[in-house]
Amino acid sequence: MSILVCGGAGYIGSHMVLELIKKNYDVVVVDNLSNGHRELVDKNAKFYTCDIRDDSLMDNIIQKENVEAVIHFAAFSIVSESMIDPAKYYDNNILATLSLLNTMRRNKINKIVFSSTAAVYGEPESIPIHEDNSLRPINPYGETKLTIEKMLYWFDNAYNIKYSILRYFNVAGADENIKTGEMHNPETHLIPIILKSILENKKIKIFGDDYPTQDGTCIRDYIHVTDLAIAHILALEKLNKTNKSEIYNLGNGNGFSVMQIIKTAEKVTGKKINYEIAPRRIGDPAILIASSEKAKKNLNWQPKFYEPEKIISTAWNWHKKLFLDKN
Ligand code: UDP
């Protein structure tokens, strides 16, 4: 029996594969390589270049590999791009997931762990954000993830497909042994942008210093990608045990401002970061901090890399390696 990781060649997916292999799971990866990197997938996993919409290839893989559950990361996730081209997001995120769920139905697979996002909450009604906060996405990316969450609810109701929905806050960092890490193109996330700016001698922009926060810059809850991957395994094991669908936030419960992250990155790297203040970025809420009490309590999840220093230092090791390999 094996676990199918859809989008396993991406940033989070490749860390997922690594942690599953460490726990001796048989892992099968499908990825269409639109954003993923084949070389980030651990050699002990089976890899197929396959779009999750390719029904016949998916059927073949699932039957050949005896798949028992699915962990689904395959999606587009750039908020700004989703504002400009929502059709791309509705097509790739919603329609492709519908295909995947129908494939699961055809092949009688009834467990899925789904990668969702804090973007389903939009501008939060209260902080920290609990799973039962209002769901009011303010961009197409968040809207597509919420639509899939609702689809999962009704597919459970009608077809008995059980799910664990994991709503991520700001995922960052890299595998401790730098076997994989973040490699987006274009890069839009704060921590890799800061670290690359040091290596490439560039200036970064701080999007807004007039938010209602202590130093005027936005506050986010950063979670290490390995802690996140481990939470998926715990969620899957819980699902297998209880056969009950659940939704969990995944964050550290601590907020750090853009300026605090810059200062921490300077401390970790020993380098000065060159920045300028730029206008606010559309669709950025001032503060996003998770309550992950439910995941900690129900899944017995204990994040290991909760200090921003640790998150940034693993990312720094990864980006230095990438930079050396390139030059
Ligand atoms: N940010 C910034 N400059 C950048 C990239 C991001 O000031 O070059 C800010 C962004 O406006 C937000 C925070 O950093 O307040 C985190 O942004 P990121 O894109 O990493 O994650 P998001 O919270 O949007 O998912």
Side-chain angles (χ1 to χ4, degrees), residues 45-251:
K46 293 242 176 95
F47 181 83
Y48 295 89
T49 306
C50 169
D51 193 293
I52 56 174
R53 277 177 283 204
D54 186 339
D55 289 348
S56 65
L57 184 52
M58 286 289 284
D59 284 348
N60 286 342
I61 295 168
I62 283 170
Q63 283 152 28
K64 184 167 167 234
E65 303 294 350
N66 203 8
V67 169
E68 61 173 330
V70 173
I71 306 182
H72 176 32
F73 298 98
F76 292 148
S77 62
I78 302 177
V79 169
S80 54
E81 182 186 54
S82 81
M83 297 291 278
I84 297 163
D85 193 1
K88 181 174 174 182
Y89 279 69
Y90 276 81
D91 179 53
N92 187 65
N93 293 2
I94 296 179
L95 296 185
T97 301
L98 178 59
S99 287
L100 174 65
L101 291 175
N102 281 328
T103 296
M104 289 175 62
R105 289 174 58 206
R106 274 195 312 283
N107 290 281
K108 304 199 169 22
I109 300 170
N110 60 5
K111 302 236 167 17
I112 182 167
V113 178
F114 174 63
S115 156
S116 190
T117 167
V120 298
Y121 297 110
E123 195 67 61
E125 58 183 357
S126 58
I127 298 285
I129 303 172
H130 293 265
E131 288 82 355
D132 58 1
N133 268 41
S134 299
L135 302 171
R136 306 175 297 197
I138 53 171
N139 53 59
Y141 167 62
E143 193 69 53
T144 60
K145 289 284 181 173
L146 181 56
T147 304
I148 296 167
E149 289 195 4
K150 290 178 181 168
M151 198 150 77
L152 286 170
Y153 173 84
W154 292 113
F155 274 52
D156 178 0
N157 191 61
Y159 312 124
N160 212 26
I161 290 182
K162 300 294 173 192
Y163 58 82
S164 192
I165 289 171
L166 304 180
R167 294 179 181 151
Y168 315 155
F169 283 65
N170 287 62
V171 187
D175 169 53
E176 233 180 334
N177 302 312
I178 49 175
K179 287 191 174 166
T180 181
E182 201 160 6
M183 215 155 78
H184 293 122
N185 189 16
E187 188 52 76
T188 62
H189 293 117
L190 181 65
I191 291 176
I193 283 178
I194 292 174
L195 299 176
K196 283 170 82 174
S197 81
I198 299 172
L199 294 165
E200 295 165 8
N201 209 7
K202 289 189 177 148
K203 191 185 253 187
I204 69 155
K205 289 181 164 48
I206 295 182
F207 298 134
D209 68 348
D210 56 352
Y211 284 94
T213 62
Q214 236 173 12
D215 61 25
T217 64
C218 287
I219 291 178
R220 294 288 181 273
D221 181 338
Y222 294 87
I223 168 172
H224 193 277
V225 62
T226 301
D227 286 332
L228 185 90
I230 289 168
H232 287 65
I233 298 180
L234 297 172
L236 182 63
E237 288 171 351
K238 183 83 175 180
L239 198 54
N240 282 332
K241 216 181 305 166
T242 61
N243 205 33
K244 187 168 170 280
S245 296
E246 290 284 0
I247 300 178
Y248 300 100
N249 282 342
L250 293 177

Side-chain angles (χ1 to χ4, degrees), residues 283-295:
D284 272 346
I287 305 176
L288 290 176
I289 302 173
S291 162
S292 297
E293 289 314 307
K294 183 175 170 189

